[in-house]
Amino acid sequence: MPTLNKIGTAIRGRQDPIPVDPALRSLRTALTLFFALDGLLFAGWVVRIPAIKEQTGASAGDLGLALLGVSAGAVATMTVTGRLCHRFGSHPVTVAAGALMSLGIALPPLTHSALALGLVLLVFGAAYGGINVAMNSAAVDLVAALRRPVMPSFHAAFSLGGMLGAGLGGLVAGQLSATRHLLLLTVIGLVVSAAAGRTLLAHPAPRAERRAPASASGSGAGHGRRLVAVFGLIALCDAYGEGALADWGALHLQQDLGARAGLAAVGYSVFALTMTLGRLTGTVLLERLGQTRTLVAGGAAAAVGMLLGSLAPTVWAALVGFAVTGFGLANIFPVAIGRAGELAGPSGVATASTFGYGGMLLGPPAIGFLAETWSLPLALTTVAALAGTAAAIAYGTRNVVRAAAR
């Protein structure tokens, strides 16, 4: 009888739909709101950086040092958040981090020096790092309970929130001061945290079996940690490209290809849009291809796209390359983070997130250094190289990953 069922499933080409518990549906909605809130708040802060710079009177160098507060706070908090999730649960930590991030975004406009700005950005960065680990940990457990690879949909919500935050910031920049704009985001954030947080606090995270728990002893734990590190490296390769394109894509179009400022600005928008679309369709892609093929295909597509984007002789060809790169990179980070969480729970998410965030920090300065040594187009080919590396790592470790999944 089991054999006949398998044959029937193969003939239909898909599995019968699995009834979804209404509580799991509610949890998915609440977590989606937190992912969107994360993107909304972070983008809202980024678009007001010029106004904050003017307010504090900071030089470009001083502002750069102050902005390191976000990175330092995030990286320092990520590992700690994994432990907090183990102790208190990922749901309460997600709600607390969401509220803290909402409060933290109101602090930068209150500062009047680069030093004070850097200190308050430590708080904002700590909340940003904390919510990313906690909500991804909660999402990993929910994905296991739903028995569908819906992790990309959460990251699509983050991307949509970021696009909304950037768009809203652009619309109100001329009407509202940075103080009022970011205070408005604080109110929105606290309302969303309270509304969505009620659902998370009312339902504990679904229990998921870990195939290689980080707390286990012996060779199994060491093997699990190595696999988590592998997925962390894949996340790093992906995030390196995101950071590089965010900071250098427009300059490449304008400086190297002669695009007007408005058209050059479209470059990152095209990349962000196709990445969002790729994540919205990520669940279907994972169901059809599986995790390994999705990683390999995504890395290969991003490598080809970025080679075109960095070396193309015309603006329009480069924009096509940016679009392909966005589709290629779209699901690499969600799959890598999700797989690390499946293997080692919140500590796995924390480790892979730290790798990934490190890649996003490494990308822009590395591109700048290489551009000084060679040229910006050649420096941007490193994005293609690392995307190809992610595909190679995923393909090279496919048998080990498959064995761990049994």
Side-chain angles (χ1 to χ4, degrees):
M1 196 66 180
T3 303
L4 292 176
N5 288 337
K6 290 180 181 178
I7 294 173
T9 298
I11 293 173
R12 288 192 300 270
R14 58 180 179 83
Q15 293 182 343
D16 292 328
I18 300 170
V20 178
D21 185 338
L24 296 182
R25 247 192 241 112
S26 298
L27 284 177
R28 183 177 179 182
T29 300
L31 273 177
T32 299
L33 286 173
F34 272 107
F35 273 86
L37 177 64
D38 186 29
L40 174 77
L41 294 179
F42 192 79
W45 146 247
V46 167
V47 299
R48 298 316 297 245
I49 288 177
I52 301 298
K53 178 182 183 297
E54 182 179 350
Q55 176 183 303
T56 58
S59 66
D62 289 341
L63 178 65
L65 289 174
L67 292 177
L68 283 176
V70 178
S71 307
V75 171
T77 306
M78 283 179 170
T79 303
V80 176
T81 304
R83 299 193 190 103
L84 290 175
C85 289
H86 275 298
R87 181 169 181 178
F88 300 107
S90 57
H91 288 184
V93 178
T94 298
V95 177
L100 181 60
M101 189 175 178
S102 301
L103 293 170
I105 200 174
L107 298 177
L110 305 180
T111 61
H112 298 283
S113 69
L115 176 60
L117 178 62
L119 292 175
V120 300
L121 288 180
L122 281 171
V123 177
F124 182 71
Y128 178 71
I131 193 174
N132 273 278
V133 170
M135 68 185 182
N136 273 292
S137 298
V140 167
D141 290 333
L142 184 57
V143 167
L146 290 170
R147 289 182 285 173
R148 288 194 69 209
V150 297
M151 180 64 89
S153 69
F154 293 118
H155 288 260
F158 172 84
S159 298
L160 289 170
M163 294 172 68
L164 177 61
L168 177 64
L171 287 174
V172 306
Q175 287 75 38
L176 294 180
S177 66
T179 302
R180 291 183 177 181
H181 173 206
L182 297 185
L183 186 59
L184 173 63
L185 291 181
T186 293
V187 174
I188 293 173
L190 290 175
V191 169
V192 172
S193 296
R198 287 184 62 186
T199 301
L200 292 191
L201 295 177
H203 299 90
R207 297 180 65 86
E209 294 181 3
R210 308 293 178 203
R211 298 186 181 97
S215 59
S217 59
S219 60
H223 181 66
R225 282 193 293 270
R226 286 191 293 273
L227 276 179
V228 167
V230 165
F231 286 106
L233 284 173
I234 291 174
L236 183 151
C237 292
D238 174 273
Y240 176 96
E242 289 189 50
L245 275 170
D247 284 23
W248 293 99
L251 183 62
H252 167 57
L253 295 176
Q254 190 170 4
Q255 171 185 289
D256 301 314
L257 299 177
R260 298 186 306 276
L263 183 57
V266 170
Y268 182 71
S269 300
V270 167
F271 169 77
L273 178 61
T274 56
M275 175 171 275
T276 302
L277 293 174
R279 287 175 171 175
L280 287 171
T281 58
T283 295
V284 174
L285 192 66
L286 283 166
E287 287 177 332
R288 291 182 180 277
L289 300 182
Q291 291 179 339
T292 298
R293 289 179 181 174
T294 298
L295 290 173
V296 173
V304 172
M306 201 56 220
L307 284 175
L308 177 61
S310 57
L311 301 178
T314 67
V315 173
W316 297 108
L319 288 175
V320 170
F322 284 6
V324 174
T325 303
F327 272 120
L329 294 181
N331 295 301
I332 295 177
F333 192 88
V335 170
I337 296 295
R339 196 68 182 91
E342 291 173 15
L343 288 165
S347 61
V349 173
T351 300
S353 297
T354 303
F355 271 90
Y357 201 80
M360 190 167 288
L361 295 178
L362 174 66
I367 295 293
F369 175 77
L370 293 172
E372 287 283 340
T373 306
W374 303 331
S375 66
L376 183 53
L378 285 178
L380 286 172
T381 62
T382 59
V383 175
L386 285 183
T389 299
I393 292 173
Y395 184 77
T397 58
R398 66 194 184 284
N399 293 329
V400 179
V401 172
R402 192 180 296 124
R406 290 171 185 163

